[in-house]
Amino acid sequence: MASVTFESVTKRFDDVVAVDALDLAVDDGEFMVLLGPSGCGKTTALRMIAGLEDITDGKLLIGDQVVNDVDPARRDVSMVFQSYALYPHMTVQRNIESPLLVRRYHADGPDRPARKLTRSERDERVNEAARVLGLEGFLKRKPAALSGGQRQRVALARAFVGRPQAFLMDEPLSNLDAKLRAQTRLELVDLHRRVETTVVYVTHDQVEAMTMAQRIAILSAGRLQQVGTPQEVYGAPANLFVAQFIGTPPMNTLAGTVTTSDGSAAVEVGESRFPVPPDLKTPLEEGQPVIVGARPEHLDVSAGGSIAHQVRAVEWLGHECLVFGAVGPSPVVVRQVGMSPHEAGGTIRLAVDPANVHLFDPGTTERIT
């Protein structure tokens, strides 16, 4: 196992900056997810770790070694691709074993010279990988005889068999259906718990990120926006981009103005008033423009409040419903448990706990703390 560290790493493709001065430290044994929309630079960052893309500026370290100019085959990392990349003419056993046939390993301990593994050592590692990923009954089959989920497990076993310093995963679940994605997420988390190897996982799917990651690094336009646990990025987004990107539906964000006319600060949005977060360190001024945010599940319809919500549509999802509407000119979604009694065309009064209110600077888009 090893840490992975980006020190002001930049990657340019001609005039296009794909990754811009990335500073990120992935701890030894950590499951780190790189999350962001298409084109944000997350896959480019992963490919730089693997050595598949050159680094324009900065330093990349695996453990204590700077690997900018180290050949990909000597970095001791394994990469799992979205397309599985299995050898169609080989059995599952041979696919899993293939990395062991072309590389030397420290089979006798890290301080002993690297050597090729013996037949029995290769069989032991293949059987261990197959057991961990539930592939014992498929070793004699070829990839064409497997389901998509089974093929993905073979790709994971092939990455696992060499016991690399880090697993690199590039949207490995995107080709699976919803049920298989959910099942394979659990398998990946369980695999990481057992082998405790560093994982850097790329996805644009925030459900994958929130359910699997120990920490999430959120990127946009090549720049790092926030790093934190799933709870931190969801509960305390660093800026407006993170607030609107994380969550389904995303956080409601509305343009408002600070008022202190009654002796306590609030944010006015049309005729509605939002409380401000408690223990706010930044002083607010009368008439100051702000962006106020509240997640759909934090808007309370059980009692009358100071926020007037004009209902436009209600979607019932079985266990919950989404009430779509507007507060002033801004669209707002409310999440309720169970069936909503509200109908399109009406107005409901909402309340929100000040602890669940977020404020952002409309100029910088940064969170006001």
Side-chain angles (χ1 to χ4, degrees), residues 167-366:
F167 285 130
L168 310 179
M169 301 188 184
D170 188 9
E171 305 206 40
L173 309 185
S174 60
N175 288 334
L176 306 182
D177 61 36
K179 183 177 180 179
L180 273 175
R181 280 200 304 273
Q183 176 185 337
T184 311
R185 285 201 308 265
L186 295 175
E187 291 173 351
L188 282 174
V189 171
D190 185 57
L191 175 64
H192 176 258
R193 178 183 58 80
R194 283 186 279 173
V195 302
E196 298 182 333
T197 299
T198 306
V199 174
V200 183
Y201 185 106
V202 161
T203 185
H204 65 274
D205 186 331
Q206 58 177 284
V207 174
E208 289 182 17
M210 297 292 284
T211 56
M212 297 170 67
Q214 292 176 319
R215 284 195 302 157
I216 302 173
I218 302 172
L219 291 92
S220 174
R223 284 190 164 272
L224 183 64
Q225 304 295 311
Q226 185 174 1
V227 183
T229 66
Q231 295 79 6
E232 288 168 347
V233 299
Y234 188 84
N239 55 42
L240 204 54
F241 173 83
V242 176
Q244 295 173 333
F245 186 75
I246 294 290
T248 305
M251 181 183 290
N252 299 296
T253 53
L254 308 89
T257 304
V258 174
T259 177
T260 57
S261 57
D262 61 356
S264 61
V267 177
E268 288 187 347
V269 179
E271 297 179 356
S272 299
R273 289 169 64 91
F274 285 78
V276 302
D279 304 322
L280 202 65
K281 299 181 179 63
T282 302
L284 301 175
E285 300 177 358
E286 178 74 27
Q288 176 182 342
V290 295
I291 303 293
V292 62
R295 294 209 176 272
E297 64 271 22
H298 292 152
L299 293 171
D300 184 7
V301 300
S302 61
S306 59
I307 304 167
H309 183 266
Q310 302 165 6
V311 180
R312 293 178 179 170
V314 177
E315 289 185 354
W316 184 55
L317 304 176
H319 64 292
E320 66 179 15
C321 67
L322 300 177
V323 183
F324 295 86
V327 173
S330 302
V332 168
V333 182
V334 180
R335 174 180 276 128
Q336 288 186 262
V337 176
M339 185 63 181
S340 172
H342 310 294
E343 297 182 356
T347 299
I348 56 177
R349 307 296 297 188
L350 306 175
V352 59
D353 187 327
N356 294 322
V357 174
H358 310 264
L359 297 182
F360 303 92
D361 186 304
T364 66
T365 74
E366 296 296 309

Side-chain angles (χ1 to χ4, degrees), residues 2-6 24-28 30-32 198-200 215:
S3 59
V4 177
T5 308
F6 292 84
L24 178 65
V26 183
D27 295 334
D28 188 358
E30 181 176 26
F31 197 125
M32 171 72 78
T198 306
V199 174
V200 183
R215 284 195 302 157

Side-chain angles (χ1 to χ4, degrees), residues 73-245:
R74 299 181 63 83
R75 296 191 181 196
D76 195 17
V77 299
S78 290
M79 191 159 179
V80 179
F81 296 92
Q82 177 180 344
S83 60
Y84 315 145
L86 301 179
Y87 298 110
H89 63 288
M90 291 184 180
T91 64
V92 167
Q93 180 167 352
R94 292 285 287 175
N95 266 283
I96 297 173
E97 184 186 26
S98 57
L100 304 180
L101 299 173
V102 297
R103 294 178 57 188
R104 293 176 177 269
Y105 293 90
H106 294 274
D108 306 311
D111 298 327
R112 301 294 297 276
R115 61 173 176 83
K116 289 288 186 69
L117 300 182
T118 65
R119 172 79 262 176
S120 62
E121 288 171 338
R122 295 199 303 271
D123 287 345
E124 182 182 350
R125 290 204 182 188
V126 169
N127 291 333
E128 179 190 17
R131 184 176 63 256
V132 167
L133 287 152
L135 294 168
E136 299 101 318
F138 304 96
L139 291 175
K140 301 306 179 185
R141 297 189 189 182
K142 291 185 178 179
L146 304 178
S147 69
Q150 290 164 348
R151 292 180 195 178
Q152 190 57 274
R153 289 203 296 273
V154 174
L156 291 168
R158 184 177 58 187
F160 168 74
V161 75
R163 301 173 186 171
Q165 293 192 89
F167 285 130
L168 310 179
M169 301 188 184
D170 188 9
E171 305 206 40
L173 309 185
S174 60
N175 288 334
L176 306 182
D177 61 36
K179 183 177 180 179
L180 273 175
R181 280 200 304 273
Q183 176 185 337
T184 311
R185 285 201 308 265
L186 295 175
E187 291 173 351
L188 282 174
V189 171
D190 185 57
L191 175 64
H192 176 258
R193 178 183 58 80
R194 283 186 279 173
V195 302
E196 298 182 333
T197 299
T198 306
V199 174
V200 183
Y201 185 106
V202 161
T203 185
H204 65 274
D205 186 331
Q206 58 177 284
V207 174
E208 289 182 17
M210 297 292 284
T211 56
M212 297 170 67
Q214 292 176 319
R215 284 195 302 157
I216 302 173
I218 302 172
L219 291 92
S220 174
R223 284 190 164 272
L224 183 64
Q225 304 295 311
Q226 185 174 1
V227 183
T229 66
Q231 295 79 6
E232 288 168 347
V233 299
Y234 188 84
N239 55 42
L240 204 54
F241 173 83
V242 176
Q244 295 173 333
F245 186 75

